[in-house]
């Protein structure tokens, strides 16, 4: 099998950094048919974003699959209600497809709203609903009137683009809530946290940092999210947006309609975490004590973190890492985080990166690094083998690719149950990387005992 | 089409909505079945998300790579038809995967936009012939997600494979001797299939097991990524299924549909058909071993007689720990039937037998399988979700839950142990190696159940006895 694993039509979505060539990478395209893309769909994109709003009803209008494959798979925690952890579906049947699913949707909504008394309901459209043309907008409006809560359609038909289009659908749905709540008790030094999903309680770590700085957090969007917080989110002075794409559209809408400025940040890794705190502190420069407290916080946290990282770094120095994640923003932070651990990133890619994202990745990576958009198992496995990596960072679908090749792995997706954000998250990450890279099991896998490897 | 009678919600006040479904969608079953055929790449004709979600889901259970290709349909294909992308996708799979077979299943999207898969493939064959491109085997199955569950998708796929590939033209070739049986085991674990192979070998019976996921979904690490994992039912063997001495087929509700792979082989080629329950529990295992004895014209090997003996011994040793305990069993219909039959013979009372499946035969199959052993028939509910199961569970006061991982939330709420069987199991390790079948599989389940009851008693005890 010497055949190239790269599909000709995908050649311009793969780049090897070197020789100061001008960098261009095709992205944001439809996935190639038959290429086994790691990407999901529009529905997936909107489900990921809205899912953590814990006091809302999330009803998937469609056949059972879409709802069942997303039932409680995320690690998004709630400090209160846990309605988001249930999987609601209209479970459309053949006769609904023939006669239309509007009647069933109406009755299902009525039943579920009466049963759970949610503060809002999101109704997700799926492929089939887009085809049979159920009028979600009208049904949701009627149900809002009947039940007195916002019932919001999410236009997330799976085939209408990729995951990124789903982010946009989710943002448009959330934006309907924004501006409907009371903002009178909101401090001028206040922010919304956007693009964090409270995986393994991460948003609680980040909120605490901001609170220690004297900054009020109005709404978590969407981790540990509440409908009422979203409703008054327009009262915050600043939107702090994490992640490359998931909630940026919402921040842009809020900027346009409410004039709220945007700061884009990341909470992964030491540099980016500190930078996030300083950016917010600098925004509130009318109160210099905020920056003062931010600096103290960072100093304090680092004094605990560094000695431990140094210890782990001894074993990790010079090891090679590959990254393939959903959003490119996370990849930036991971590149830096690996550098802090003394490791080399030799491959990096994402499912949904934009032209700007990939330019940035090109900037920050070393010569020889493979940069890839919308990859697949054949390419990924070939890159891992070629670069002889020690650890691969990705999600559930990437894990068996690494393991089958006898390579360490770290889960960095919406399903993980380990907090990786903040200073403490960096330590967790380093420990996890260390745990897998230094495991003795790799000495038994064919990769490390085959004659080919011995000859090297 | 199927001979099934359409069934709607049982009572007028039944729930309209579904909360925490006790089933998966139809194309999922197709992917799992296709994965058990040698050289086959499962392919979903639909939008990208279906393939990705199902890959993710399967990976969490088997912890194996699961490459499912997709037509990756976008908006314009939904309007103008998915044919061009279907063909392009298949060519890409052939080109990069070197597939010997592409197993193509439809999704709700392509069923509804009216893509005629058999016709498109016909057209494709002609076009490729003109272009002098050699195509691998293309098998197709219709699996609209809005009609039926993953189990129906699985069975439909096995049937479609037999329908489109089996014939009687050629005598058995290669590794298949002239006398052999077909075994259609349904959706069981790779560990189960390996055990079935051992049992058949002990009887000296050559077999075609369809599908065979024993290697394709539980394999070893490799130096290079296996585009298509080794193993699976050889296509040449499938082609020969019409020449088999018999077909053994598991699944008591499945068989009642009158539309199974085994029935097709019987009707078309006159292959004698032995419908059996899944061999879990003494009685169902006995039936299976007797069928093997008949098929091979040999007595049951000593080894298995001894395993049977040990199982009966365990039944006796363990009976008092579990006698009179109440269990809720849920999951795929045929597994529920088999587990119910097993529980009834060890003195555990099945208080609710539930499935998200809706074949219409669950009650009848359970009645037949439990025979005269239960003094009163258990409550049987099909077409249910976990909300309804939980609702019923409150008054039933079960001591145990038996089913897949999806019952964990309920078990936690009820503070009772859960014995994980079936698919999916993604909150425990080793799902692909769970042994459910045969005397040995039953022994495995029996030990687990007894120990779960003992552990519960020990944990709840204020004394904390160390001898129990």
């Amino acid at each position: 099998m010497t055949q190239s694993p790269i599909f000709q039509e995908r050649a311009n979505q793969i780049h090897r950094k070197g020789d100061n060539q001008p960098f261009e990478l095709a992205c944001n395209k439809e996935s190639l048919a038959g290429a086994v893309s790691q990407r999901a769909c529009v529905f997936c994109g909107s489900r990921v974003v809205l899912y953590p709003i814990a006091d809302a009803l999330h009803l998937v209008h469609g056949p059972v699959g879409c709802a069942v494959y997303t039932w409680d798979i995320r690690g998004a925690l709630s400090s209160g209600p846990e309605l988001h952890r249930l999987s609601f579906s209209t479970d459309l049947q053949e006769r609904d497809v023939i006669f239309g699913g509007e009647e069933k949707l109406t009755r299902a909504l009525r039943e579920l709203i009466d049963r759970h008394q949610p503060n809002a309901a999101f109704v997700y459209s799926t492929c089939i609903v887009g085809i049979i043309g159920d009028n979600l907008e009208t049904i949701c409006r009627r149900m809002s009137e009947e039940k007195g809560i916002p019932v919001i359609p999410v236009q997330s038909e799976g085939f209408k683009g990729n995951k990124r289009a789903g982010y946009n659908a989710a943002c448009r749905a959330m934006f309907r809530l924004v501006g409907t709540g009371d903002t009178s008790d909101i401090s001028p030094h206040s922010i919304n946290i956007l693009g964090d999903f409270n995986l393994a309680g991460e948003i609680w770590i980040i909120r605490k940092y901001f609170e220690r700085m004297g900054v009020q957090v109005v709404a978590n969007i969407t981790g540990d999210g509440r409908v009422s917080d979203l409703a008054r989110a327009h009262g915050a002075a600043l939107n702090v947006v994490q992640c490359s794409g998931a909630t940026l559209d919402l921040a842009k809408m809020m900027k346009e309609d409410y004039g709220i400025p945007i700061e884009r940040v990341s909470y992964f890794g030491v540099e980016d975490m500190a930078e996030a705190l300083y950016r917010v502190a600098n925004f509130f420069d009318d109160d210099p004590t905020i920056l003062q407290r931010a600096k103290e916080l960072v100093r304090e946290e680092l004094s605990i973190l560094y000695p431990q990282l140094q210890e782990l770094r001894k074993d990790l120095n010079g090891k090679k890492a590959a990254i393939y994640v959903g959003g490119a923003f996370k990849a930036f932070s991971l590149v830096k985080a690996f550098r802090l651990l003394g490791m080399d990133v030799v491959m990096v890619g994402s499912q949904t990166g934009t032209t700007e994202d990939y330019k940035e990745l090109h900037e920050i990576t070393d010569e020889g690094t493979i940069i890839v958009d919308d990859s697949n198992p054949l390419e990924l496995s070939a890159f891992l083998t070629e670069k002889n990596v020690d650890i691969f960072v990705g999600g559930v679908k990437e894990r068996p690719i690494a393991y089958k090749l006898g390579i360490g792995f770290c889960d960095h997706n919406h399903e993980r149950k380990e907090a990786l954000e903040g200073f403490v998250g960096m330590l967790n990450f380093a420990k996890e990387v260390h745990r897998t890279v230094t495991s003795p099991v790799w000495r038994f896998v064919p990769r490390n005992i085959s004659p080919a490897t011995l000859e090297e | 089409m199927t001979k099934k009678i359409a069934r709607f919600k049982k009572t007028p006040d039944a729930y309209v909505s579904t909360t925490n479904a006790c089933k998966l969608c139809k194309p999922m079953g197709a992917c799992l079945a296709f994965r058990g055929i040698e050289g086959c790449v499962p392919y979903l004709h639909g939008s990208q998300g279906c393939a990705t979600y199902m890959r993710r889901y399967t990976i969490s259970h088997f912890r194996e790579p699961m490459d499912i290709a997709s037509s990756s349909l976008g908006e314009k294909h939904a309007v103008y038809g998915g044919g061009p992308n279907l063909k392009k996708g298949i060519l890409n799979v052939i080109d990069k995967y070197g597939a010997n077979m592409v197993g193509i299943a439809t999704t709700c999207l392509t069923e509804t936009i009216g893509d005629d898969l058999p016709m498109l493939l016909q057209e494709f064959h002609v076009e490729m012939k003109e272009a002098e491109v050699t195509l691998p085997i293309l098998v197709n199955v219709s699996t609209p997600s809005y009609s039926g569950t993953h189990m129906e998708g699985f069975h439909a796929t096995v049937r479609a494979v037999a329908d489109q590939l089996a014939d009687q033209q050629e005598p058995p070739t290669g590794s298949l001797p002239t006398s052999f049986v077909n075994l259609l085991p349904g959706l069981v674990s790779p560990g189960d299939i390996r055990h079935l192979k051992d049992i058949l070998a002990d009887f000296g019976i050559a077999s075609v097991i369809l599908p065979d996921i024993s290697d394709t979904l539980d394999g070893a690490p490799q130096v290079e990524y296996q585009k298509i994992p080794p193993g699976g039912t050889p296509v040449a063997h499938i082609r020969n299924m019409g020449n088999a001495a018999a077909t053994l087929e598991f699944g008591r509700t499945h068989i009642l549909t009158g539309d199974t792979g085994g029935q097709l082989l019987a009707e078309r080629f006159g292959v004698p058909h032995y419908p059996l329950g899944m061999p879990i529990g003494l009685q169902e295992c006995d039936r299976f071993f007797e069928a093997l004895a008949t098929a091979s014209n040999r007595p049951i090997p000593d080894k298995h007689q001894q395993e049977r003996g040990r199982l009966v011994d365990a039944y006796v040793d363990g009976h008092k720990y579990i006698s009179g305990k109440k269990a809720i069993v849920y999951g795929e219909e045929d597994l529920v039937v088999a587990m119910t039959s097993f529980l009834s013979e060890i003195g555990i009372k099945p208080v609710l037998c539930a499935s998200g499946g809706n074949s219409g035969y669950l009650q009848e199959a359970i009645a037949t399988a439990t025979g005269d052993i239960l003094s009163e028939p258990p409550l049987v509910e099909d077409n249910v979700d976990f909300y309804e199961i939980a609702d019923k569970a409150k008054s039933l006061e079960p001591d145990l839950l038996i089913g897949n991982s999806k019952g964990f939330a309920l078990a936690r709420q009820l503070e009772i142990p859960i014995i994980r069987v079936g698919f999916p199991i993604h909150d425990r390790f080793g799902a692909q190696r769970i042994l459910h079948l045969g005397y040995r599989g039953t022994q495995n389940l029996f030990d687990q159940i007894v120990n779960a009851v003992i552990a519960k008693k020990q944990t709840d005890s204020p004394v904390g006895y160390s001898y129990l």
Side-chain angles (χ1 to χ4, degrees):
Chain A
M1 291 277 177
T2 48
Q3 193 194 22
S4 163
I6 294 159
F7 293 90
Q8 210 171 26
E9 284 163 282
R10 288 198 23 81
N12 60 359
Q13 285 168 276
I14 299 160
H15 179 86
R16 285 164 191 270
K17 182 172 172 175
D19 305 332
N20 299 318
Q21 306 164 14
F23 175 70
E24 249 176 79
L25 195 76
C27 58
N28 221 357
K29 293 167 50 165
E30 262 174 24
S31 297
L32 177 64
V36 194
S37 166
Q38 304 294 89
R39 266 185 194 163
C41 57
V42 179
F43 166 72
C44 170
S46 61
R47 190 89 165 102
V48 165
V49 173
L50 295 176
Y51 174 90
I53 302 174
D55 59 345
L57 181 87
H58 299 267
L59 174 60
V60 183
H61 185 37
V64 79
C66 310
V68 87
Y69 302 128
T70 52
W71 173 13
D72 202 25
I73 62 174
R74 316 262 177 239
L77 300 188
S78 166
S79 54
E82 295 204 320
L83 205 44
H84 67 304
R85 296 186 62 195
L86 302 178
S87 166
F88 300 112
S89 165
T90 48
D91 187 8
L92 289 182
Q93 297 297 305
E94 201 154 6
R95 66 185 306 272
D96 306 314
V97 174
I98 297 165
F99 298 110
E102 296 186 354
E103 165 72 14
K104 193 173 194 183
L105 173 61
T106 304
R107 292 175 58 201
L109 270 171
R110 196 172 284 144
E111 177 173 273
L112 291 169
I113 291 170
D114 287 350
R115 185 187 295 163
H116 295 287
Q117 303 290 318
N119 291 328
F122 292 103
V123 180
Y124 299 74
S125 180
T126 56
C127 284
I128 188 83
V129 171
I131 297 298
I132 63 175
D134 281 358
N135 191 342
L136 255 56
E137 195 67 55
T138 304
I139 293 163
C140 288
R141 196 186 58 238
R142 279 194 207 135
M143 202 47 64
S144 285
E145 284 160 13
E146 184 182 320
K147 297 295 174 192
I149 57 162
V151 178
I152 301 169
V154 185
Q155 299 298 342
S156 52
E157 294 86 349
F159 58 82
K160 282 191 170 165
N162 66 37
K163 202 169 166 185
R164 182 168 281 280
Y167 297 156
N168 184 271
C171 288
R172 279 183 283 131
M174 284 190 287
F175 192 58
R176 293 185 178 209
L177 288 172
V178 174
T180 59
D182 176 31
T183 58
S184 53
D185 63 340
I186 295 175
S187 147
H189 299 136
S190 59
I191 60 169
N192 296 315
I193 298 180
L194 274 77
D196 192 282
F197 303 104
N198 202 33
L199 305 176
E202 284 171 336
I203 216 163
W204 298 330
I205 299 170
I206 305 305
R207 269 188 81 118
K208 204 160 277 170
Y209 291 160
F210 286 125
E211 279 158 14
R212 272 163 74 183
M213 284 160 55
V215 173
Q216 184 191 2
V217 179
V218 179
N220 308 326
I221 304 172
T222 57
D224 199 12
R226 297 293 180 275
V227 173
S228 60
D229 289 342
L230 265 165
R232 63 192 212 115
H234 60 294
L238 176 67
N239 274 332
V240 183
V241 183
Q242 191 190 219
C243 188
S244 51
T247 54
L248 188 61
D249 290 335
L250 177 65
K252 284 178 179 163
M253 291 175 215
M254 288 171 75
K255 188 175 181 185
E256 199 152 298
D257 281 26
Y258 302 100
I260 304 173
I262 300 169
E263 283 288 354
R264 294 183 73 180
V265 300
S266 164
Y267 308 126
F268 295 115
V270 170
E271 291 169 55
D272 287 353
M273 184 65 242
E275 175 72 14
L277 300 180
Y278 292 147
R279 285 247 208 111
V280 172
N282 285 326
F283 179 82
F284 296 117
D285 57 2
D286 59 322
D287 181 356
T289 65
I290 294 180
L291 182 61
Q292 193 51 42
R293 282 192 290 265
K295 283 180 175 166
E296 274 165 29
L297 188 160
V298 172
R299 202 176 303 124
E300 202 176 302
E301 293 287 334
L302 288 187
S303 69
I304 305 166
L305 176 65
Y306 265 133
Q308 299 182 74
L309 284 187
Q310 288 311 109
E311 202 52 42
L312 296 167
R313 197 184 147 121
K314 283 179 196 159
D315 297 324
L316 299 176
N317 214 359
K319 299 276 185 192
K320 285 183 273 185
I323 300 165
Y324 188 76
V325 285
F329 231 64
K330 192 154 67 189
F332 306 155
S333 297
L334 282 167
V335 170
K336 292 179 221 168
F338 275 122
R339 203 163 277 154
L340 185 66
L341 296 175
M343 298 172 68
D344 304 322
V345 173
V346 292
M347 186 214 105
V348 58
S350 84
Q351 291 172 22
T352 58
T354 61
T355 308
E356 300 80 59
D357 292 338
Y358 287 119
K359 268 190 191 138
E360 168 93 23
L361 272 181
H362 187 253
E363 291 282 305
I364 63 171
T365 47
D366 298 329
E367 293 288 293
T369 304
I370 298 169
I371 301 171
V372 59
D373 174 62
D374 185 20
S375 200
N376 54 62
L378 298 187
E379 289 170 8
L380 293 173
S381 57
F383 299 150
L384 297 180
T385 310
E386 178 199 318
K387 294 289 186 182
N388 197 19
V389 306
D390 298 287
I391 185 171
F392 185 26
V393 181
V396 178
K397 297 182 300 293
E398 287 79 33
R399 191 199 304 141
I401 300 174
Y403 284 173
K404 266 295 169 247
L405 293 170
I407 291 169
F409 187 79
C410 170
D411 258 304
H412 210 310
N413 65 348
H414 284 277
E415 299 182 33
R416 69 192 154 79
K417 311 293 187 289
E418 186 85 36
L420 300 179
E421 285 180 5
F423 300 103
V424 65
M426 179 65 206
L427 183 61
N428 290 342
F429 175 70
K431 281 180 179 169
E432 187 174 339
V433 169
H434 187 268
R435 208 155 46 229
T436 187
V437 167
T438 62
S439 168
V441 300
W442 309 123
R443 68 178 65 200
F444 306 110
V445 300
R447 183 169 84 101
N448 295 327
I449 52 177
S450 73
T453 315
L454 290 177
E455 275 167 24
E456 270 179 15
Chain B
M1 273 308 287
T2 60
K3 295 162 196 161
K4 268 184 316 192
I5 305 153
R7 280 169 55 96
F8 300 109
K9 285 270 182 182
K10 299 161 290 282
T11 52
D13 60 345
Y15 303 117
V16 179
S17 61
T18 295
T19 302
N20 300 340
C22 185
K23 61 179 175 184
L24 308 168
C25 76
K26 215 169 172 183
M28 165 65 99
C31 293
L32 289 170
F34 280 133
R35 189 56 187 263
I37 297 171
E38 192 175 67
C40 179
V41 173
Y43 185 110
L44 289 179
H45 185 39
S47 58
Q48 180 60 48
C50 307
T52 308
Y53 269 133
M54 288 175 215
R55 288 176 63 204
R56 182 241 156 258
Y57 210 78
T58 315
I59 287 167
S60 79
H61 175 90
F62 293 100
R63 297 172 193 262
E64 290 287 309
M66 180 72 175
D67 290 5
I68 301 172
S70 166
S71 302
S72 302
L73 299 184
E75 195 156 15
K76 65 175 189 286
H77 312 111
V79 177
Y80 298 110
N85 257 40
L86 169 74
K87 295 170 187 174
K88 185 174 169 186
I90 294 172
L91 286 175
N92 277 334
V93 169
I94 298 166
D95 179 31
K96 291 299 175 202
Y97 279 80
N100 177 33
M101 173 173 149
V102 184
I104 308 150
T106 56
T107 58
C108 58
L109 173 64
T110 50
E111 284 285 339
T112 311
I113 62 175
D115 273 7
D116 183 341
L117 191 56
M119 194 204 73
L120 285 168
L121 292 176
Q122 199 77 39
E123 207 177 85
F124 186 49
H125 275 290
V126 173
E127 287 164 15
M128 289 302 105
K129 199 168 182 188
E130 280 165 9
E132 291 179 7
V133 174
T134 316
L135 284 178
I137 300 153
L138 305 179
V139 169
N140 69 87
V141 59
S142 164
T143 48
S145 348
Y146 43 73
S147 92
T149 68
H150 63 298
M151 256 343 276
E152 278 157 83
F154 186 96
H155 291 313
T157 303
V158 171
R159 192 184 185 283
V161 168
D163 180 32
Q164 292 165 46
L165 297 182
D167 61 32
Q168 261 178 329
Q169 299 305 308
E170 310 154 42
T173 48
S175 48
L176 198 62
T178 40
S179 175
F180 67 95
V181 303
N182 301 320
L183 175 60
L184 308 182
L187 177 52
V188 295
S189 78
D192 284 329
I193 304 248
R194 283 193 291 270
H195 184 49
L196 289 172
K197 283 179 170 173
D198 287 346
I199 294 172
L200 289 160
D202 293 338
F203 275 94
I205 298 176
S207 64
V208 177
I209 299 179
L210 179 70
D212 176 1
I213 57 168
S214 60
D215 294 324
T216 57
L217 281 170
D218 193 14
Q222 305 285 348
V223 174
E224 269 182 45
Y225 187 72
Q226 306 287 303
K227 296 175 180 182
I228 301 171
T233 321
V235 172
H237 292 190
I238 301 172
R239 288 206 188 281
N240 262 303
M241 287 175 89
N243 292 312
T247 302
L248 307 182
E249 186 168 33
F250 296 160
R252 282 183 174 272
T253 62
H254 175 42
I255 275 145
L256 294 174
T257 62
D259 197 31
T260 75
Q263 282 158 333
L264 177 130
L265 292 166
E267 279 159 29
R268 192 174 300 168
F269 306 110
V271 181
H273 185 222
Y274 290 76
L276 296 162
M278 289 176 78
I280 298 173
L282 209 58
Q283 301 175 97
E284 293 288 44
C285 285
D286 285 350
R287 289 191 186 98
F288 175 51
F289 278 86
E290 278 154 23
L292 292 176
T294 310
S296 64
N297 201 19
R298 286 195 199 185
I300 295 167
D302 225 29
K303 174 176 154 189
H304 296 286
Q305 297 275 22
Q306 283 172 12
E307 275 194 346
R308 185 185 190 281
R310 280 193 291 270
L311 179 61
V312 176
D313 192 55
Y315 274 19
V316 173
D317 291 343
H319 79 279
K320 228 190 270 185
Y321 292 107
I322 53 175
S323 191
K325 296 281 179 199
K326 291 184 284 183
I328 292 180
V329 191
Y330 60 87
E332 288 128 13
E333 289 174 281
D334 284 325
L335 183 62
V336 167
V337 175
M339 290 305 305
T340 305
S341 163
F342 163 50
L343 291 176
S344 68
E345 63 188 31
I346 61 175
I348 291 184
K349 202 175 168 209
V351 287
L352 171 62
C353 308
S355 179
N358 192 21
S359 73
Y361 301 113
L362 185 60
Q363 184 134 23
E364 183 183 339
I366 284 177
T368 315
T370 53
D372 55 2
I373 215 164
L374 286 176
S375 52
E376 52 180 314
L379 179 61
V380 177
E381 296 278 349
D382 58 5
N383 199 20
V384 291
D385 58 20
F386 277 100
Y387 183 80
E388 290 167 281
I389 296 174
D391 206 24
K392 297 239 156 50
K394 279 176 209 143
S395 57
L396 294 168
E397 298 181 330
D399 301 294
L400 271 175
L401 283 193
I402 300 182
N404 55 50
S405 287
K406 293 305 185 186
F408 171 69
L410 177 59
R412 185 177 156 101
Q413 192 189 322
L414 297 172
E415 298 180 339
I416 57 172
I418 170 174
I419 307 293
R420 289 169 179 81
V421 295
F423 175 85
I425 295 172
H426 37 220
D427 62 341
R428 279 297 180 276
F429 189 71
Q432 66 275 56
R433 291 176 290 275
I434 293 181
L435 197 55
H436 306 78
L437 303 187
Y439 298 121
R440 200 182 297 169
T442 305
Q443 182 75 72
N444 176 38
L445 295 175
F446 184 78
D447 292 347
Q448 263 194 71
I449 290 172
V450 173
N451 282 328
V453 170
I454 292 175
K456 167 82 177 150
K457 188 174 176 175
Q458 196 168 31
T459 311
D460 291 351
S461 154
V463 182
Y465 292 111
S466 47
Y467 283 82
L468 273 167

